[in-house]
Amino acid sequence: MRLFAGCDMSLMASEPCPTVAMLRPRSGMAQWLASESYQFDPPVRPTEYVDAYGNLCQRFEIAPGPMRIRWSAIVDTDDVISVEPNARATPVGQLPDEALQFMLQSRYCPSDKMVDQALRIAGGLPAGYAQVEAVRAWVHQNIAYRYGVSSATTDAIDTLNAQAGVCRDFSHIGISFCRALRIPARMVVGYLYQLDPMDLHAWFEAYIGGRWYTFDATQDQPRGGRIVVAYGRDAADVAFISNYGGLTTTSLKAWVQLDNSRPLF
Amino acid sequence: MRLFAGCDMSLMASEPCPTVAMLRPRSGMAQWLASESYQFDPPVRPTEYVDAYGNLCQRFEIAPGPMRIRWSAIVDTDDVISVEPNARATPVGQLPDEALQFMLQSRYCPSDKMVDQALRIAGGLPAGYAQVEAVRAWVHQNIAYRYGVSSATTDAIDTLNAQAGVCRDFSHIGISFCRALRIPARMVVGYLYQLDPMDLHAWFEAYIGGRWYTFDATQDQPRGGRIVVAYGRDAADVAFISNYGGLTTTSLKAWVQLDNSRPLF
Amino acid sequence: MRLFAGCDMSLMASEPCPTVAMLRPRSGMAQWLASESYQFDPPVRPTEYVDAYGNLCQRFEIAPGPMRIRWSAIVDTDDVISVEPNARATPVGQLPDEALQFMLQSRYCPSDKMVDQALRIAGGLPAGYAQVEAVRAWVHQNIAYRYGVSSATTDAIDTLNAQAGVCRDFSHIGISFCRALRIPARMVVGYLYQLDPMDLHAWFEAYIGGRWYTFDATQDQPRGGRIVVAYGRDAADVAFISNYGGLTTTSLKAWVQLDNSRPLF
Amino acid sequence: MRLFAGCDMSLMASEPCPTVAMLRPRSGMAQWLASESYQFDPPVRPTEYVDAYGNLCQRFEIAPGPMRIRWSAIVDTDDVISVEPNARATPVGQLPDEALQFMLQSRYCPSDKMVDQALRIAGGLPAGYAQVEAVRAWVHQNIAYRYGVSSATTDAIDTLNAQAGVCRDFSHIGISFCRALRIPARMVVGYLYQLDPMDLHAWFEAYIGGRWYTFDATQDQPRGGRIVVAYGRDAADVAFISNYGGLTTTSLKAWVQLDNSRPLF
């Protein structure tokens, strides 16, 4: 489907703030950006680098005062995500080199402390898709979606204890259980069509049967219409805005709409 | 300055053609793309990879029949290029690792056969910017800009013999002489504001005094208003369209205009 | 100085174990390996890849039964580490792209939860080397070096609470405080000449004044004679042996000696 | 088979010479280095980087006077090379991204000028292994192996005209014809057991049926016992020693022996 998506954020800097933004999806990876706009008011000229996960990162300094950043794009993406209930786990010895890092415990996904519970939930199932789907369903059923319970320091175990959290927290639990089951799993942040309430979103992917599959513990259907902005080991790697100074977000609006406009040329 | 630039190409495929396009500039490197559009008619969903030089490459298959590709962007770029007549050559031992490959001879820049002539032109000058500028000026004065003299197989020595060529040929001579003088040099393809006649363009950069400087032997002034699409060792690395089948270009239009439109938001 | 260093480990596999080893230092980075030996009994033919941090990783499968791995090398390394008490923090906006990831919180270094304590220890000092040295000294004085207190799941906050740990734990605290102070810091594992008792070792580096400096909270002197095996965000990234099956280490011996042998040719 | 291979070279510098050496094979790629020695007399401390092709490159400066470099290793490598007469060409659209660069013309392999002859030799054969083998056999039969005919500036067309050359020249023709046939091909330099006369060697690989296959136009049998030191587009990329000053090689000895020694531990 063709989507028109974007975000419009207003920030306020109390001092000069070196900033790293991760707002631009990689076109030609999970999706194609037919058109894109990425603007700053007041204007800045960012530099951009590719991080260790292949994400595009924009660096710039925000001067004291207000800054508005608006990114939007018309994006061709898949209508549905792939579902393959019988896909078997890729044996560790056959994983591609670059998938191995997604087996490791990380800041918000202390999978090394979650093996027992992972085995209780999915240990009896065939290794692979069935296990990850069981994990996803377990999170969906056992963790309440609620704002205000979690914060920037909340990890997967904290969320298990609180039994509530938001998309980021749901993903951290899913990822942790996958890794505890020796299935590579990575965090995804981006946009989801018809997410309600609309916001920037997070979900996860698991490497099974030779490829990455999408899982979203906040949803009860395997819905497509996703725009991937960034991948990482967990939320620490994929902040939309990382700043190192006195920067506050005063407003943030995100949107995803079906785009029925005529072709742009 | 803020430019609105783009190209609109019509292709005709006589068979299914696997194609690699290099049409999208890397935003945040030499320039910032405030907005961009990259579309295909009929539509395709390219994948994209980053090649060994850091260029974005779009892969897709063109079905038999016509294909139109239109890329355009609003780009913030420098008004002028840096000129530093006294910049000294970076000693080879202090070159960054990634600059070393631009010292090597390549398909269209057989610098290993051009040392004597390079020394005659610039050997007596201080090693560095002065030499590259002497090379650039020599090419500008001694090679006639003329279409139809060169082809896809023409290398720098062929052009020296013909004493005529186009921007790509001018660049190949400049690059070859730089390398022969032990100065790293690389090919650049992209857009130049007020190029006359307007077309896709090529020039070169030389690594001097710890950074890359822009040189354009087709111009007699160090003009800015440049949009870099791709870097390479020579034209072999930076074809706008590489196809492996029966694909012909039926029309190509390129443009670069000052953009005086209101901010996009 | 020229060192002869190595390790000899005996493992026992209860099932076929896909394994990733990180035992081979990168020659020509922190040190030069004049000679090296890396052998397996029974023999295997590992493949090797470079991970996201530039480390060499060897992949192979261990068949059920015993496996002995012996790595050794004659290594030229620095006699002393650089000490620069007046080096100032590199402003975040000027950090190289690849240093930014070492500002992020990670599994064992939850720096996001340790800002207050970091500021208490070093907040009043000039930003840079002086702060990191204060952190290092604080850890050296306040954390007891003791085996058996920590485990594979112990993070920096756990160690602060326990007030005791080993080299890995000391490093995690040092790294966490640096990041909390907005100074990039990374984990280093390797060998240290005259470490007592001799073992594989861990320390950390901080990026200050445009380069990485070495800090070791287990030592009260800035001692050289170090062989770097791997870098990472924390211990999760730099396990000497990662296995995904029933593999146990039955013995491990490490050594570092001054090498006074004649040149090898 | 387990081989003991190495080279011992004596160089003479008339001035300080920044040098890049490519003498160390990548262990764990085509082969495993059970032990290795890489030494300099007088001693230097090289830095090392990985180039765009994945090769290990050692940088150092040679002071005026003599320099001896001796590299040797005990290497586990394959007894035979893979031969798959029925392997079909990988369709261009399915080639891995990183193979695409090996389709491009290069300094010594002007494949863009050699399409007609390539088609005459192999155009009628099934696309794939059969074509490359036909190319290899054609070169073996039609080009005489003779020292002194070619030099550092000789490209594949020069060698076709001279009808004689050495291993490097044979490889350049083979590579050029493959690329002209739209089959990715790359240069390999390294060691070959029982090469007669013994020397550093060069051959090529072609990407067919989803993997790289080895071809050596200097041999009439598909012999194994190969140690790969470096890959590149052609000889320009894989010089064993690149220097940028007055450096001459006064002697070079290479050797490859079966290693029947006892395990090293």
Side-chain angles (χ1 to χ4, degrees), chain C:
Chain C
M1 68 181 81
R2 176 163 279 201
L3 300 172
F4 174 64
C7 66
D8 193 335
M9 51 179 71
S10 294
L11 309 164
M12 178 61 63
S14 62
E15 54 180 329
C17 290
T19 305
V20 180
M22 222 182 271
L23 294 176
R24 182 206 294 283
R26 189 74 170 272
S27 189
M29 207 174 236
Q31 63 257 325
W32 180 255
L33 277 65
S35 76
E36 188 189 18
S37 167
Y38 193 162
Q39 301 204 60
F40 299 83
D41 181 18
V44 295
R45 270 276 292 278
T47 59
E48 190 172 86
Y49 70 98
V50 179
D51 74 8
Y53 304 100
N55 303 309
L56 300 172
C57 303
Q58 301 83 42
R59 297 183 70 173
F60 48 92
E61 184 166 294
I62 299 181
M67 166 59 78
R68 185 174 168 204
I69 305 178
R70 187 182 188 279
W71 176 86
S72 67
I74 296 174
V75 183
D76 295 320
T77 188
D78 295 328
D79 292 5
V80 291
I81 59 173
S82 297
V83 173
E84 201 64 66
N86 297 318
R88 304 302 306 257
T90 301
V92 173
Q94 294 168 30
L95 288 173
D97 296 335
E98 56 276 16
L100 290 172
Q101 64 184 320
F102 297 108
M103 300 280 274
L104 302 172
Q105 62 272 36
S106 59
R107 169 64 184 88
Y108 299 106
C109 301
S111 48
D112 51 316
K113 298 198 278 190
M114 296 168 69
V115 174
D116 289 349
Q117 189 165 2
L119 290 174
R120 276 199 300 278
I121 294 170
L125 295 168
Y129 197 98
Q131 290 182 315
V132 183
E133 172 54 22
V135 162
R136 190 208 62 76
W138 186 93
V139 176
H140 187 69
Q141 288 152 18
N142 290 277
I143 308 295
Y145 193 93
R146 201 155 64 232
Y147 281 94
V149 177
S150 58
S151 75
T153 65
T154 304
D155 70 14
I157 293 177
D158 296 331
T159 302
L160 284 175
N161 291 335
Q163 298 185 305
V166 294
C167 56
R168 148 193 173 118
D169 307 304
F170 280 49
S171 303
H172 285 153
I173 302 177
I175 292 166
S176 301
F177 282 152
C178 287
R179 293 181 189 165
L181 295 164
R182 293 189 183 148
I183 294 174
R186 62 184 181 185
M187 184 90 170
V188 190
V189 291
Y191 297 84
L192 171 60
Y193 176 55
Q194 291 186 324
L195 181 66
D196 182 25
M198 178 50 63
D199 203 348
L200 298 170
H201 192 46
W203 60 92
F204 70 103
E205 293 184 356
Y207 194 91
I208 308 162
R211 52 159 289 189
W212 292 100
Y213 286 90
T214 295
F215 294 87
D216 187 340
T218 69
Q219 304 295 313
D220 53 10
Q221 296 296 326
R223 296 169 49 197
R226 292 171 190 274
I227 300 171
V228 173
V229 174
Y231 299 102
R233 266 153 70 174
D234 63 24
D237 296 325
V238 292
F240 288 100
I241 299 284
S242 301
N243 87 88
Y244 302 94
L247 189 69
T248 51
T249 301
T250 52
S251 80
L252 168 61
K253 189 189 151 213
W255 64 91
V256 184
Q257 302 158 10
L258 264 188
D259 182 63
N260 299 308
S261 64
R262 300 281 312 155
L264 296 198
F265 69 95

Side-chain angles (χ1 to χ4, degrees), chain B residues 1-5 77-79 190-196 198-199 201 203 219 223-227 255-260:
Chain B
M1 66 180 83
R2 176 163 278 202
L3 301 173
F4 174 63
T77 188
D78 295 327
D79 293 3
Y191 297 84
L192 171 60
Y193 176 55
Q194 291 185 326
L195 180 66
D196 182 23
M198 179 50 63
D199 202 348
H201 192 45
W203 60 91
Q219 304 296 314
R223 296 170 47 199
R226 293 170 189 274
I227 301 171
W255 65 90
V256 184
Q257 302 159 9
L258 265 188
D259 181 63
N260 298 310

Side-chain angles (χ1 to χ4, degrees), chain D residues 28-48:
Chain D
M29 205 175 238
Q31 63 255 326
W32 180 254
L33 277 66
S35 77
E36 188 189 18
S37 166
Y38 194 163
Q39 301 204 62
F40 299 84
D41 181 18
V44 295
R45 270 275 292 278
T47 59
E48 189 171 87

Side-chain angles (χ1 to χ4, degrees), chain B residues 96-118:
Chain B
D97 296 336
E98 55 276 18
L100 290 172
Q101 64 184 320
F102 297 108
M103 301 280 273
L104 301 173
Q105 62 273 36
S106 60
R107 169 66 183 88
Y108 298 106
C109 301
S111 48
D112 51 316
K113 298 197 277 190
M114 296 168 68
V115 174
D116 289 350
Q117 190 166 359

Side-chain angles (χ1 to χ4, degrees), chain A residues 79-141:
Chain A
D79 292 5
V80 293
I81 60 173
S82 297
V83 173
E84 201 62 68
N86 297 317
R88 306 301 308 255
T90 302
V92 173
Q94 293 167 29
L95 288 172
D97 297 336
E98 55 277 16
L100 290 172
Q101 63 185 320
F102 297 107
M103 301 279 274
L104 301 172
Q105 63 272 36
S106 59
R107 168 66 185 87
Y108 299 106
C109 301
S111 49
D112 50 316
K113 297 197 277 190
M114 297 167 69
V115 174
D116 289 350
Q117 189 165 359
L119 290 174
R120 276 199 300 279
I121 294 169
L125 295 167
Y129 196 99
Q131 289 183 315
V132 182
E133 173 54 23
V135 161
R136 191 207 62 74
W138 186 93
V139 176
H140 186 70
Q141 289 152 18

